[in-house]
Amino acid sequence: KQEVTQIPAALSVPEGENLVLNCSFTDSAIYNLQWFRQDPGKGLTSLLLIQSSQREQTSGRLNASLDKSSGRSTLYIAASQPGDSATYLCAPGTGGFKTIFGAGTRLFVKA
Amino acid sequence: EAQVTQNPRYLITVTGKKLTVTCSQNMNHEYMSWYRQDPGLGLRQIYYSMNVEVTDKGDVPEGYKVSRKEKRNFPLILESPSPNQTSLYFCASSLFRSSYNEQFFGPGTRLTVL
């Protein structure tokens, strides 16, 4: 059964810092991996989708990489801003139709 | 506007009183899914549907029912709610279940069972 771990569980950084969020998964037979953002009490917003054949995807200040063989993905946020404060979740798309989410990384960016 | 909608957004009910949370998408998506989110446990999948009349259990299906009679709708039914079903519920959809299709989420339904 797929297990997803996100490290760190929480992170507090000053504005402007570059940071890396980590996601690891035990079953490398995935067909994609999606990163989401969730604001407190709100729904999930899709940030990036990496297909299994891709190594990385970029959107603005965000860059996500995928290393299937080692079961890892990272989300890189450049020049962090207070508006980036949220919980970030990763969800590898495993064979079949189930989705397993990581517990998330709570990010706080201080102005 | 392409979206996933859920109703109601907030619901307080009592133990044993049957309820339905509706989910609708306007993107002609084949795949739909329900999740619950609890502090310390994260998001867990309840049920999913690959297409009309095709549904299957996720990781935490006990106490829930679903149906998929139309492509756009995927209601979540709690026949006899209990306090341990107090949670934040999310519906999601994607075009297909494939490498290039991302999941889109609804705004959530906060359910409290007294």
Side-chain angles (χ1 to χ4, degrees):
Chain A
K1 178 185 173 183
Q2 178 76 280
E3 292 181 9
V4 183
T5 303
Q6 290 189 244
I7 293 173
L11 184 61
S12 180
V13 300
E15 182 176 8
E17 197 160 294
N18 301 325
L19 53 100
V20 175
L21 309 182
N22 297 289
C23 170
S24 62
F25 44 93
T26 55
D27 182 356
S28 62
I30 64 171
Y31 54 87
N32 66 18
L33 187 141
Q34 200 167 352
W35 281 94
F36 294 88
R37 169 193 171 127
Q38 186 178 27
D39 294 291
K42 306 283 186 173
L44 279 69
T45 301
S46 178
L47 296 174
L48 288 164
L49 173 75
I50 312 176
Q51 299 173 39
S52 60
S53 58
Q54 298 175 320
R55 297 284 293 182
E56 63 179 69
Q57 276 283 6
T58 298
S59 176
R61 294 182 294 109
L62 304 179
N63 175 276
S65 68
L66 175 63
D67 184 344
K68 266 185 56 174
S69 60
S70 65
R72 287 188 298 185
S73 177
T74 61
L75 180 66
Y76 175 82
I77 303 177
S80 58
Q81 303 170 357
D84 294 330
S85 298
T87 296
Y88 292 81
L89 299 158
C90 71
T94 309
F97 297 93
K98 290 187 177 181
T99 300
I100 306 293
F101 277 83
T105 294
R106 263 198 331 275
L107 173 65
F108 180 65
V109 181
K110 297 171 285 189
Chain B
E1 180 190 354
Q3 59 184 347
V4 179
T5 57
Q6 296 179 225
N7 282 293
R9 294 289 313 281
Y10 303 90
L11 180 59
I12 300 175
T13 189
V14 296
T15 298
K17 186 175 181 182
K18 182 180 178 180
L19 66 92
T20 299
V21 183
T22 65
C23 172
S24 183
Q25 48 89 8
N26 62 0
M27 298 170 278
N28 202 34
H29 284 176
E30 290 198 350
Y31 179 86
M32 297 185 74
S33 183
W34 276 103
Y35 301 87
R36 61 178 289 174
Q37 187 175 37
D38 303 288
L41 296 175
L43 271 156
R44 294 176 293 168
Q45 194 169 30
I46 304 171
Y47 269 95
Y48 57 89
S49 169
M50 294 75 82
N51 213 325
V52 174
E53 301 291 4
V54 184
T55 64
D56 205 350
K57 298 176 182 178
D59 286 328
V60 289
E62 296 78 20
Y64 304 95
K65 283 177 56 177
V66 293
S67 69
R68 187 93 182 271
K69 291 183 170 48
E70 306 167 280
K71 201 171 191 178
R72 63 183 294 128
N73 297 322
F74 189 44
L76 180 70
I77 303 157
L78 285 72
E79 295 267 0
S80 183
S82 62
N84 65 12
Q85 292 178 298
T86 292
S87 187
L88 181 57
Y89 291 86
F90 290 103
C91 180
S93 72
S94 66
L95 183 57
F96 302 111
R97 189 70 171 164
S98 68
S99 64
Y100 51 88
N101 290 135
E102 58 188 305
Q103 284 195 71
F104 295 91
F105 278 73
T109 294
R110 188 168 292 281
L111 172 65
T112 301
V113 183
L114 303 174

